Amino acid sequence: MSQRMTSKLDAATVRRTLQRFWAVTREQPLIAAMSVVTSAGYILLLTFANTYVMGLIVDRIQASPVAADRVVEVFAPYVVALVLVNLVGQLFSKLQDYTVYKLEINGNYRLSRLCFNTLSNQSMTFHTSRFGGSLVSQTSRFTSGYTALVDVCVYSLIPTVTSVVCTVAALVPVVPAFTVILVAIMVVYVAFVWVMYKRILPLSAATSKAQNRLSGVLSDAVTNILAVKTCGREDFERDLFDAAARDARDAETVSMRAMMRRNFTTSGLIVVTMGIVSVFVAGGNAWFGISAGTLVVVFTYTYNLTMRLNYVSSMMQRINRALGDAAEMTRVLDEPLLVADAPDAPELCVTAGAIDFERLGFAYRDAAPGQKVFSDLTLHIPAGQRVGLVGRSGSGKTTLTKLLLRLDDVQDGRVLIDGQNVSACTQQSLRRQVAYVPQEALLFHRSIRENISYGRPDATEDQIREAARQANALEFIDRLPAGMDTMVGERGVKLSGGQRQRVAIARAILADCPILVLDEATSALDSESEALVQEALENLMRGRTSIVVAHRLSTVASLDRIVVLDGGRVVEDGTHEELVAAGGEYAGLWGRQTGAFLDAE
């Protein structure tokens, strides 16, 4: 990609970031308006009004000596004016802080919700191709970018604009020639800062990207720390992290050097400005007859303006960083939802539970051209039937269940439940009708009670315990010191594999959905637990449409029907006895698992 294309992309990303930041800001119009007024008022009173009154005092002192007994009489109005200016100015300052807090608190809340809703609504394809840690980091940086931008606008940008306007307005009537020179220097200064800003912006985005990648590498290693340790790969992961950390350091260094070059140049312009004002103040009275008080005002106003301009450089630096930090999440928010509900999508209503896969065509988005999982697959599962899906790895078993749950959308054909196209119904209503137990139990770092009742949060304690009993989980739960209140750890790491699976099965039992999907649900159980859970699953499947994905064929041997998939096609379909007698693909698999070939020798 050329530099020109990169710049265009960055400019577009910045525009969309600012649009999102503005959208949450304009939802608080009164607070936003107050922040502008208080910020401008604070500078106007404490910088300009204060200095103006002090200039009047200097001129009064210069005009004629004031007797000691007349100090109060002469200067009382000035002192009262200074006190009032400072009182109101300090009030504006505190209101300024309040409005900033309110903007940031409410804005971060809305932006966090936007990020979470977007990420939670994205497809599994989206999530499986990204680091979870990077997404968390991007969300955090996105909201931090908003906070930084609000701070810059209220505490730097608005005061700087106010200073420029007030300085020019105050000095033009008094020293027009000097004001013209000052404005010319300001124009050159701002133009230079703007050009440098456009050059540095891509560097800030690159820095943020490197930091997000570093967070992703760290998260990936920590999440899979058991694999790291059991494989003795600490050195490898350390080197991988070190490489990511070096990339982040290098990106930061490049950005820092560019900003330092800009800062040195802008500082030179400030020195030139102060040199000019010093000469003018020194000779102003002699050359132009300007009073001492007015010269104090000119010097103070100009000095304040140069300090504000000096802040422009750091202000643009903070804006660069804020927009760079927000850039990656902005791109994530811009990505279309791979699985999205239609605006008028109806709720799925399941009365019987019949499932139809009609002329299904599906390929993963990152697959090679022409490489499909399914091509014209058709399969009918009557309501209440218990169906096993078997076949070699990669035959499409799990993919079929994901399409049923609409974790991905089919490209061709339809998936129907009771004649309703699941792609036309809302995703939540679909998934509330299907209890799903995957091969790897999905547990939250919450209590066992919360994990079991996750799909039915209004369940009573008795119902939760009964579901745990049916899943053969109650016995081990009651042995734990905290019982149902035991925290299971991230992804359930505090429980054994079999215990995690039984908690997941208990969740499915409690959900009591009309359709049940078990994807290798008993694969992590020992023989004794498997027998007990199989009995519970038999009771659970009774009267429900059930799809059981299994490599262990003993799991599906007693089901009503077994469908054998190979290369995304149905190659056999029948009962266990029929398929064994047919001597085909299923019989071969059964023989290898049971040792039938050895017995036959």
Side-chain angles (χ1 to χ4, degrees), residues 234-252:
E234 290 90 343
D235 290 343
F236 172 80
E237 293 299 330
R238 190 178 298 114
D239 291 343
L240 196 64
F241 179 83
D242 188 58
R246 284 199 304 272
D247 288 343
R249 180 197 62 190
D250 294 344
E252 288 271 14

Side-chain angles (χ1 to χ4, degrees), residues 159-195:
T160 299
V161 172
T162 303
S163 294
V164 170
V165 172
C166 290
T167 299
V168 172
L171 298 186
V172 163
V174 181
V175 282
F178 174 78
T179 307
V180 170
I181 296 172
L182 185 62
V183 169
I185 294 175
M186 284 193 299
V187 170
V188 172
Y189 183 97
V190 172
F192 175 79
V193 170
W194 176 252
V195 170

Side-chain angles (χ1 to χ4, degrees), residues 296-343:
V296 169
V297 170
V298 170
F299 177 82
T300 306
Y301 284 2
T302 307
Y303 177 76
N304 172 72
L305 181 59
T306 58
M307 290 302 97
R308 286 290 169 189
L309 290 178
N310 199 36
Y311 295 152
V312 168
S313 180
S314 63
M315 178 175 67
M316 299 307 292
Q317 177 179 334
R318 285 181 288 159
I319 291 175
N320 273 336
R321 181 172 289 277
L323 295 176
D325 284 349
E328 285 204 72
M329 179 49 68
T330 294
R331 295 187 184 101
V332 169
L333 295 173
D334 287 338
E335 290 198 27
L337 295 178
L338 300 180
V339 180
D341 291 337

Side-chain angles (χ1 to χ4, degrees), residues 2 22 35 37 69 111 114 144 148 169-170 188 191 252 262 285 309 314 354 401 454 496 536 572:
S2 68
W22 172 242
S35 70
V37 171
D69 60 347
L111 291 172
L114 171 66
S144 296
V188 172
E252 288 271 14
R262 179 190 64 186
N285 181 262
L309 290 178
S314 63
T401 64
Y454 189 73
S496 69
E572 290 185 295

